[in-house]
Amino acid sequence: MSNGESEAAPSPEQAVRVGEIAYGRSGDKANTFNIGIIAESEAAYRRLDRQLTADRVAALFDAFVDGSVTRYRLPNLLGFNFVASEALDGGGQFSLRYDSQGKTYAAAVLQLELPPESSEGRDE
Amino acid sequence: MTVRIANAAGFWGDYPDATERLLASDATFEYLQLEYLAEVTMGVLDRLRDRDPEKGYATDFVDYVVAEHLSELIDRGVRVVTNAGGLNPSSCAARVREHAAEQNVDVTVATVTGDDLTDQLDGLHAEYGLEPFEDDTPYEDVADDIVTAAAYLGAFPVASALDAGADVVITGRVVDPALALGPLIHEYGWDRTQYDRLAAGTVAGHLIECGTQVTGGNSTREWEAIEYDNVGYPIVEVDADGGMRLTKPDGTGGEVSRATVAQQLVYEIGDPQAYLTPDVAVDFTAPDITEVAGDTVAITGCEGSSPPDSYKVSVHVANGYRVAGNMLYSRPDALAKAERAAAVIESRIEERGLSVWETRAEFVGHDAAHGPAAPDRDDHNEVLLRFAARGPDREDLRRLGTEFAPLSLAGPPSVTGLTDSGRPRPRPIIDVWPTLVPQSVVEPEVSVGE
């Protein structure tokens, strides 16, 4: 079995955009949005696990989220699900946002830049 | 043996010729499943039924699937399962029977109802105390403005309709995966405690319920390489043991890969270890996804456990009005011009004393999609101002709608776009108030007729 480490994987000493090591999709349920992020490799999954925290995602969306952001792991997919509550300006028909269902929000996470990691931070 | 279920609609608004494309391909399938009811669609259906009591269902199903293809579907032995019934399954079924008579085909049509709790809600609240599922808004705050309330039914009534010989099953509100799990329960005789099997059928349904979104549409992974012309609608083949393969017809665009399937698995879910339906609690961290051939992915190892003892109910509530209009500003300084225009509208609202709860100015090309997550920049070729407001009074929002056009003469320069928008009109807001009711109070009904 491959351990998922590909030659193209950026080294942890380099900054990386989430979209270079993962892909994803977002959507809504009433006033909640969720963002599923799937890592391209096991190394990417571990790096996202360390760096793409619920707090990081909550800070990105800032005033869009009145509730909280919870992160769930899906190790079978090398994935994460971020669920943001009270986060769609009332959701569906009530929301005044153009993207009232959060369909584009995954793209915002994929644009996030993860800073270089110190080797200390990678000890597992 | 395997059971093949194709999807030909992921929402009301999907390609009207999806069924035609599937039938023209060389793919074979025993069931055709069509999903039409997004949360926002229920509000639309309510308005349609208000205007005409015979409406309130997804007319696309009747106009593009039944009118054009019913006889061919029946001839090919394909049974159809859809939630096109919306708020009015019996009316939808009546239209299907009319078309069957016209096309001279012998069709057994069934409806699945019992989801409509609108008239029972006050009583249920008195007895059980309905709690908000999401926020803190108490029932008393929404009670007077309820327009419709529907429980998300499970798959067993759908299976019963098929057991009774239905060729076409038309439901009201059911959980979307029930449109696939129902046929599997019917075919394999799975019982209510075979949770891993029920979980597999639920995963199958969840994967195909959004149509082409599992076959390459919306995939953020290497999207440049995906062919978006004629993206193939999904077909899932499910075995008696719950193993399954997801694929699409040969010769179609799109892609079926680990990536497209994984993205759809996480679409619109909460806690992945507790994907809940009235039939089963599914663990989405259990299944393995493997690419087994070109555009074919196997999903194995689904696991489930006993379902919650409640039904989720979507209560739809009238909650004021909303209006949105836009103006296009060009370079130089497009963003600054659009911001000034928004400020003018804000001050005019105040001057005229228009009653609004909230306003929102977004700048398309700058922050309309990502809001605070969008990076700052100031060198835009052009920016579309989108200004939206909501409030309690329709007439005040109608007046607000007259504030856009004058800006083409009286506001910041290099503005255009009136031919597209003119005076935007307010629309009623139908809000969603989700809640839970005990399973025992909901009685699904299956009605089968020629």
Side-chain angles (χ1 to χ4, degrees):
Chain A
M1 284 291 287
S2 155
N3 65 2
E5 313 273 358
S6 86
E7 283 175 49
S11 122
E13 283 88 30
Q14 293 174 314
V16 67
R17 202 165 47 75
V18 174
E20 292 175 60
I21 60 170
Y23 48 94
R25 175 167 296 172
S26 53
D28 71 312
K29 277 272 184 292
N31 199 17
T32 295
F33 72 75
N34 88 295
I35 301 174
I37 296 291
I38 317 285
E40 293 274 11
S41 68
E42 290 190 14
Y45 177 71
R46 290 193 298 271
R47 181 163 185 181
L48 293 171
D49 196 21
R50 293 187 295 267
Q51 293 192 288
L52 191 61
T53 59
D55 285 347
R56 187 77 206 272
V57 171
L60 175 67
F61 288 100
D62 188 39
F64 264 16
V65 180
D66 290 332
S68 58
V69 174
T70 306
R71 187 183 79 166
Y72 300 95
R73 293 185 181 90
L74 293 99
N76 55 327
L77 306 184
L78 303 179
F80 301 91
N81 187 33
F82 296 89
V83 179
S85 62
E86 297 177 56
L88 285 173
D89 188 33
Q93 296 206 341
F94 193 71
S95 173
L96 297 180
R97 293 183 201 162
Y98 203 135
D99 189 1
S100 58
Q101 296 173 287
K103 301 276 188 186
T104 67
Y105 294 178
V109 172
L110 296 176
Q111 287 295 109
L112 259 181
E113 189 165 287
L114 303 178
E117 293 186 290
S118 68
S119 53
E120 196 183 335
R122 295 198 310 279
D123 288 345
E124 281 161 49
Chain B
M1 179 189 173
T2 190
V3 175
R4 289 164 293 194
I5 306 170
N7 168 286
F11 72 113
W12 190 5
D14 208 342
Y15 284 117
D17 63 346
T19 300
E20 184 177 329
R21 281 153 57 175
L22 263 170
L23 289 172
S25 74
D26 58 8
T28 50
F29 45 92
E30 290 78 37
Y31 290 89
L32 182 67
Q33 177 251 55
L34 304 104
E35 200 286 301
Y36 290 105
L37 302 182
E39 272 176 354
V40 293
T41 308
M42 298 300 269
V44 175
L45 288 172
D46 177 67
R47 281 203 295 276
L48 294 173
R49 188 180 55 173
D50 258 3
R51 273 179 237 152
D52 178 354
E54 289 294 302
K55 293 283 168 62
Y57 59 89
T59 52
D60 267 23
F61 173 64
V62 175
D63 295 345
Y64 300 115
V65 181
V66 173
E68 296 180 5
H69 304 293
L70 183 63
S71 64
E72 184 178 358
L73 288 163
I74 299 298
D75 284 352
R76 286 168 61 159
V78 174
R79 300 169 85 174
V80 180
V81 181
T82 180
N83 61 5
L87 301 176
N88 202 345
S90 65
S91 190
C92 183
R95 300 292 88 75
V96 175
R97 292 184 183 109
E98 286 165 14
H99 279 284
E102 236 169 72
Q103 295 173 32
N104 206 17
V105 284
D106 193 13
V107 180
T108 303
V109 183
T111 57
V112 172
T113 57
D115 58 309
D116 185 352
L117 300 180
T118 315
D119 296 335
Q120 299 161 54
L121 223 51
D122 281 339
L124 289 171
H125 181 62
E127 192 167 353
Y128 298 102
L130 301 180
E131 298 278 349
F133 189 72
E134 277 226 318
D135 56 20
D136 306 324
T137 313
Y139 180 76
E140 287 73 16
D141 283 13
V142 300
D144 290 342
D145 300 308
I146 291 169
V147 293
T148 182
Y152 285 80
L153 303 182
F156 281 90
V158 174
S160 299
L162 294 166
D163 292 347
D167 303 299
V168 179
V169 181
I170 296 167
T171 75
R173 195 35 120 178
V174 297
V175 291
D176 296 342
L179 301 175
L181 178 57
L184 295 166
I185 292 169
H186 163 69
E187 292 282 343
Y188 293 131
W190 292 340
D191 71 38
R192 286 180 184 273
T193 60
Q194 283 180 287
Y195 296 125
D196 291 350
R197 302 282 195 277
L198 299 178
T202 302
V203 166
H206 176 76
L207 289 176
I208 66 169
E209 82 192 31
C210 293
T212 46
Q213 203 173 226
V214 73
T215 51
N218 265 341
S219 175
T220 52
R221 186 172 189 272
E222 295 173 12
W223 65 268
E224 299 93 331
I226 294 175
E227 188 193 322
Y228 294 116
D229 293 340
N230 191 29
V231 174
Y233 278 76
I235 299 170
V236 66
E237 311 174 344
V238 186
D239 304 330
D241 67 359
M244 75 190 89
R245 292 156 302 284
L246 194 138
T247 187
K248 66 184 183 70
D250 289 340
T252 56
E255 168 187 316
V256 177
S257 63
R258 195 175 179 285
T260 67
V261 171
Q263 285 174 88
Q264 187 56 24
L265 196 67
V266 296
Y267 182 62
E268 292 186 350
I269 66 169
D271 178 352
Q273 293 192 281
Y275 182 92
L276 306 177
T277 80
D279 306 315
V280 62
V282 186
D283 182 355
F284 278 13
T285 69
D288 287 317
I289 300 174
T290 322
E291 293 176 6
V292 290
D295 288 318
T296 304
V297 162
I299 299 103
T300 53
C302 291
E303 290 176 17
S305 55
S306 60
D309 57 6
S310 54
Y311 279 102
K312 182 178 168 187
V313 178
S314 258
V315 181
H316 298 267
V317 181
N319 192 5
Y321 299 86
R322 186 177 70 159
V323 69
N326 51 60
M327 306 287 286
L328 179 65
Y329 291 89
S330 87
R331 64 185 176 155
D333 305 317
L335 181 60
K337 291 169 185 167
E339 285 170 341
R340 282 286 298 280
V344 172
I345 297 175
E346 290 282 8
S347 65
R348 289 275 302 169
I349 289 171
E350 198 166 321
E351 269 171 45
R352 298 179 78 187
L354 302 180
S355 171
V356 296
W357 289 326
E358 201 146 2
T359 62
R360 179 170 186 83
E362 292 181 324
F363 303 95
V364 179
H366 179 66
D367 69 353
H370 290 166
D376 269 337
R377 51 186 285 236
D378 54 16
D379 181 28
H380 306 82
N381 284 338
E382 58 217 22
V383 164
L384 186 76
L385 165 65
R386 178 184 186 270
F387 190 96
R390 61 185 171 229
D393 188 79
R394 185 173 212 152
E395 176 57 20
D396 274 14
L397 290 187
R398 190 194 63 75
R399 289 179 193 203
L400 201 166
T402 67
E403 290 295 324
F404 294 86
L407 283 168
S408 62
L409 298 179
S414 35
V415 58
T416 188
L418 278 185
T419 44
D420 267 3
S421 41
R423 283 181 172 167
R425 297 228 293 260
R427 308 187 69 165
I429 295 171
I430 306 295
D431 211 354
V432 185
W433 189 81
T435 188
L436 301 172
V437 300
Q439 280 225 5
S440 57
V441 307
V442 177
E443 290 174 23
E445 287 168 36
V446 177
S447 163
V448 185
E450 293 297 314

